[in-house]
Amino acid sequence: MSTPGVRLHFQGTHVVMDNGIIQVTLSVPDGIVTGIRYNGLDNLLEVLNKESNRGYWDLVWSAPGSKGIFDVIKGTCFRVIVDTEEQVELSFTRMWDPSLEGKFVPLNIDKRFILLRGSSGFYSYGIYEHLKDWPDFDIGETRITFKLRKDKFQYMAIADNRQRYMPLPDDRLPGRCQSLAYPEAALLVNPKLRELAGEVDDKYQYSCENKDNQVHGWICTNPPIGFWQITPSDEFRSGGPHKQNLTSHVGPTTLAMFLSAHYAGQDLVPKFRGGEPWKKVFGPVFIYLNSAPIGDDPFWLWEDAKIQMMTEVQNWPYNFPASEDFQKSDQRGNVSGRLLVLDRYINEDCISGRGAFVGLAPPGEAGSWQRECKDYQFWTRADEDGYFTIKNVCTGDYNLYAWVPGFVGDYRYDIPITINPGSCIETGNLVYEPARDGPTLWEIGIPDRSAAEFYVPDPDPKHINKLFVNHPDRFRQYGLWDRYTQLYPNDDLVYTVGVSDYTKDWFFAQIPRKKDDNTLEGTTWKINFKLNNVVRNGTYKLRVAVASATLAEIQVRFNDPKTRRPLFTTGLIGRDNSVARHGIHGLYWLYNIDVPGAQLVEGDNTLFLTQPRNTSPFQGIMYDYIRLEAPPSC
């Protein structure tokens, strides 16, 4: 029996895309998804919500220096782009003109929705365009939001080890929960699902790095139905593979995040000035629906969703979007090569850049990709021998960037790379020489851009999320910042090289201590180390790699904590907010600090790391890795 073709039905102010498996209803001309009918359920979206609050594209924008404005993007013009038995593609556009200045973001926005024959799901993508000489603006966030039926979808899955029954939205209402340190976090006091009582709910506990954020969603157990958001490519997301974004959370809500400042701050907010023209395609992403017979294990739907995700990844870039702004595979190019690492204090010869993250991003300085947020990025991982291939790169001018787990710093290939349709560029062997002056005297941590290897305490038993008990992501528990004061009530952390163990003795974040009167004070951590001999007229090198900073400062002093002027200070850095949002990293910083030999002594030495900022419990530093090197002559 042949699969039914795709059909369009017009119902007053709505249009329905129907392929016999799924029916998607959209408002006209708004382009809001008001209904998704599937497997006998009339609507998977929350029917108790207004139609405008079910499935929608949104953004947050502002004029320079003004407060952000939340905007559910409603089209003003509806067009049928493709209407065949094989495919339907609909367009909902909102065009900007000077009469709208200050009322709407100065962008032409074209929201597209696609339904294919035989497909158990639908696609959506958006084309944003800012024309030359249009007003300046910032765009802090844009995404697609779906709000599902709370009576049906109560089990959420983000990863094999991050899935659970979730609280209901009602459990976040007064009387059923207790507010915590910020609005997103709540202690469940009287939830409808009694076994959740005493747990903390916070949407940031379910954040995910871009590279791992490919499929997430919800399961309805009766009847067994899955609703999944699949993102087959990171190319249109900002900030590179390690940028963290929200996924799904209580609502039940599922997000397709394209652009956000979470875990980064203003550095990841695109700012358009001087009439700068800009155009970008976000997506397509795939909303996948699956089901199982009643009586079958509904949690198998997660396994099926992962298989579907891999199929979507293999099919990228799609050949069916009608817009010429979305480049198909024959319009793109590939880059391949091999990355080697040369650190003569580890090995005289080059070693492979095993597991390196290698990417193409707009031209800039080494490491600039993590703050790039306007254009496209294309990333891969090198194999055991350092070989890499970056496939399906859009046409344009790029630099090739990389970083290698186990080594500090960032690599940039000095020769710019231009991709034309059909390009197949071979770079040959590339050699990264990480920052190094002399031999390692001591080191703390692993240079991997994360603080996960350090000591992450158990949470307060009154503020627990059971999902993260005995979990690799134990840092996602609420309130860990308060544990520092409990562990170090009077004196700060002291780490002795050769004796201490950074997995047990180095707290994951240097944050303020709470005093008895509930005020906060800055902290000074000590690293004690011995030197058998000192090159008095030599220059030692201290390398401090920071995994995250939030309105913080690091002051560096050797052997005299009371010197008025530190040897080095970072100044005020960072707006990652990773402590409050349960991230174990934000943006990466590397400081290379000259240490005159005259400041060191033979025998016992102490390095003092002071973080003096103390207006909020969430201010602080997460270290990635610290190393002291002897002068080159050693």
Side-chain angles (χ1 to χ4, degrees):
M1 186 170 136
S2 64
T3 309
V6 189
R7 294 194 173 134
L8 275 181
H9 311 294
F10 293 92
Q11 301 174 349
T13 57
H14 295 81
V15 61
V16 182
M17 302 189 297
D18 182 355
N19 68 358
I21 302 169
I22 173 178
Q23 294 85 43
V24 182
T25 303
L26 297 113
S27 59
V28 176
D30 296 346
I32 305 291
V33 183
T34 62
I36 301 174
R37 183 186 177 112
Y38 172 74
N39 198 45
L41 275 186
D42 280 349
N43 201 344
L44 307 188
L45 303 182
E46 184 52 89
V47 293
L48 299 177
N49 288 3
K50 292 180 180 179
E51 285 196 345
S52 60
N53 189 26
R54 296 180 186 176
Y56 53 86
W57 283 72
D58 66 47
L59 57 79
V60 176
W61 73 282
S62 63
S66 300
K67 193 176 176 184
I69 299 168
F70 176 73
D71 178 13
V72 173
I73 303 164
K74 295 183 178 179
T76 56
C77 178
F78 163 65
R79 289 182 301 150
V80 178
I81 304 297
V82 179
D83 184 6
T84 69
E85 288 211 335
E86 298 302 317
Q87 173 179 345
V88 160
E89 180 165 341
L90 306 180
S91 164
F92 301 85
T93 54
R94 187 177 77 186
M95 309 300 282
W96 190 88
D97 67 61
S99 70
L100 301 173
E101 186 163 358
K103 300 175 187 173
F104 290 102
V105 60
L107 288 171
N108 289 335
I109 297 176
D110 186 353
K111 301 183 296 179
R112 301 288 183 100
F113 295 87
I114 300 172
L115 184 63
L116 303 180
R117 183 178 195 147
S119 176
S120 186
F122 64 97
Y123 299 85
S124 187
Y125 67 107
I127 306 156
Y128 290 22
E129 184 173 24
H130 181 255
L131 296 184
K132 189 174 185 298
D133 296 330
W134 276 7
D136 296 347
F137 76 105
D138 302 348
I139 179 167
E141 184 175 85
T142 193
R143 63 189 186 180
I144 311 175
T145 302
F146 289 99
K147 298 186 175 178
L148 310 183
R149 282 176 60 167
K150 66 181 182 182
D151 63 328
K152 294 295 183 184
F153 292 94
Q154 296 172 6
Y155 188 89
M156 185 181 81
I158 302 165
D160 289 339
N161 63 355
R162 296 177 73 190
Q163 45 187 276
R164 60 168 295 166
Y165 281 101
M166 293 292 285
L168 293 167
D170 313 58
D171 297 334
R172 297 293 307 250
L173 297 175
R176 291 195 175 273
C177 74
Q178 175 187 325
S179 297
L180 293 173
Y182 42 83
E184 293 87 352
L187 179 65
L188 306 175
V189 177
N190 183 29
K192 293 196 171 183
L193 204 60
R194 291 301 305 152
E195 55 263 40
L196 300 184
E199 288 200 62
V200 167
D201 177 65
D202 181 345
K203 67 182 180 181
Y204 291 108
Q205 293 179 319
Y206 305 106
S207 297
C208 188
E209 288 191 0
N210 283 342
K211 67 181 176 61
D212 303 318
N213 185 1
Q214 294 180 296
V215 56
H216 59 91
W218 295 82
I219 291 173
C220 165
T221 55
N222 186 25
I225 292 176
F227 182 101
W228 308 103
Q229 193 275 306
I230 294 176
T231 304
S233 170
D234 282 336
E235 67 185 47
F236 42 78
R237 286 171 167 161
S238 59
H242 311 291
K243 169 72 171 71
Q244 296 174 85
N245 274 309
L246 294 171
T247 55
S248 291
H249 57 81
V250 164
T253 298
T254 286
L255 303 172
M257 297 294 304
F258 300 122
L259 186 66
S260 84
H262 295 140
Y263 304 94
Q266 283 293 315
D267 283 350
L268 264 290
V269 173
K271 299 171 178 63
F272 298 92
R273 301 290 184 269
E276 174 187 350
W278 177 72
K279 182 187 265 192
K280 188 169 184 179
V281 178
F282 293 106
V285 297
F286 185 44
I287 303 304
Y288 176 58
L289 310 176
N290 57 3
S291 60
I294 291 176
D296 281 13
D297 179 5
F299 304 114
W300 168 86
L301 296 172
W302 164 249
E303 299 299 325
D304 176 68
K306 290 192 296 180
I307 294 168
Q308 185 64 41
M309 176 270 290
M310 289 187 282
T311 299
E312 300 300 321
V313 170
Q314 289 163 4
N315 290 340
W316 186 269
Y318 299 134
N319 60 9
F320 50 80
S323 172
E324 293 182 358
D325 292 312
F326 179 76
Q327 292 191 353
K328 314 306 186 290
S329 60
D330 61 350
Q331 298 171 286
R332 299 179 177 223
N334 299 335
V335 175
S336 57
R338 187 185 190 195
L339 184 68
L340 303 170
V341 180
L342 181 59
D343 183 338
R344 288 192 172 89
Y345 288 94
I346 292 177
N347 195 310
E348 281 292 326
D349 299 319
C350 288
I351 59 176
S352 80
R354 178 173 58 191
F357 291 87
V358 187
L360 293 176
E365 300 300 316
S368 60
W369 54 268
Q370 69 167 344
R371 290 175 170 81
E372 195 284 316
C373 50
K374 290 182 180 177
D375 294 303
Y376 303 96
Q377 298 194 27
F378 303 85
W379 286 86
T380 191
R381 288 201 79 171
D383 68 13
E384 287 286 304
D385 298 314
Y387 289 100
F388 63 87
T389 299
I390 306 171
K391 298 179 179 178
N392 296 306
V393 182
C394 289
T395 55
D397 296 324
Y398 301 92
N399 277 135
L400 184 145
Y401 303 94
W403 76 272
V404 187
F407 296 90
V408 297
D410 278 279
Y411 172 77
R412 186 193 72 158
Y413 183 37
D414 287 339
I415 300 173
I417 290 177
T418 297
I419 300 294
N420 296 308
S423 287
C424 194
I425 296 172
E426 172 61 58
T427 66
N429 288 347
L430 307 176
V431 179
Y432 172 46
E433 297 188 43
R436 169 73 76 172
D437 283 11
T440 299
L441 293 172
W442 53 260
E443 59 187 348
I444 299 172
I446 303 167
D448 60 359
R449 304 186 176 223
S450 162
E453 70 268 30
F454 297 126
Y455 179 67
V456 178
D458 291 330
D460 183 328
K462 299 193 296 291
H463 290 152
I464 207 159
N465 182 326
K466 290 176 185 173
L467 175 62
F468 297 111
V469 174
N470 299 320
H471 191 282
D473 290 0
R474 54 188 289 125
F475 56 83
R476 296 199 182 275
Q477 295 281 14
Y478 173 87
L480 299 181
W481 53 87
D482 285 334
R483 300 286 285 124
Y484 180 78
T485 299
Q486 293 162 13
L487 289 166
Y488 301 93
N490 302 309
D491 299 310
D492 283 318
L493 181 151
V494 178
Y495 186 93
T496 301
V497 172
V499 176
S500 300
D501 177 348
Y502 63 73
T503 67
K504 300 173 183 174
D505 303 317
W506 188 272
F507 199 77
F508 77 100
Q510 185 173 3
I511 44 185
R513 179 195 290 101
K514 187 181 287 187
K515 297 194 287 187
D516 291 341
D517 61 1
N518 278 336
T519 60
L520 300 170
E521 63 181 356
T523 54
T524 296
W525 290 7
K526 300 177 188 175
I527 302 172
N528 295 326
F529 61 98
K530 290 181 183 294
L531 294 177
N532 292 329
N533 51 65
V534 173
V535 183
R536 299 285 295 173
N537 60 353
T539 300
Y540 292 71
K541 187 75 79 173
L542 178 69
R543 303 199 191 275
V544 179
V546 173
S548 179
T550 303
L551 294 170
E553 177 185 3
I554 306 171
Q555 296 177 0
V556 174
R557 293 175 175 86
F558 279 89
N559 291 326
D560 183 356
K562 294 189 165 55
T563 56
R564 195 174 62 82
R565 294 186 62 181
L567 171 67
F568 171 83
T569 176
T570 61
L572 184 66
I573 58 169
R575 289 182 174 270
D576 299 355
N577 211 16
S578 298
V579 172
R581 287 177 170 162
H582 326 295
I584 200 66
H585 71 84
L587 296 177
Y588 176 77
W589 311 70
L590 177 63
Y591 295 98
N592 303 296
I593 303 158
D594 287 338
V595 182
Q599 293 214 4
L600 303 173
V601 297
E602 291 184 2
D604 294 334
N605 291 264
T606 302
L607 165 59
F608 298 91
L609 297 173
T610 298
Q611 198 300 105
R613 311 287 177 147
N614 60 10
T615 54
S616 160
F618 309 127
Q619 286 178 280
I621 293 287
M622 293 184 193
Y623 295 95
D624 167 36
Y625 173 75
I626 303 174
R627 180 171 78 211
L628 183 65
E629 299 170 14
S633 58
C634 297

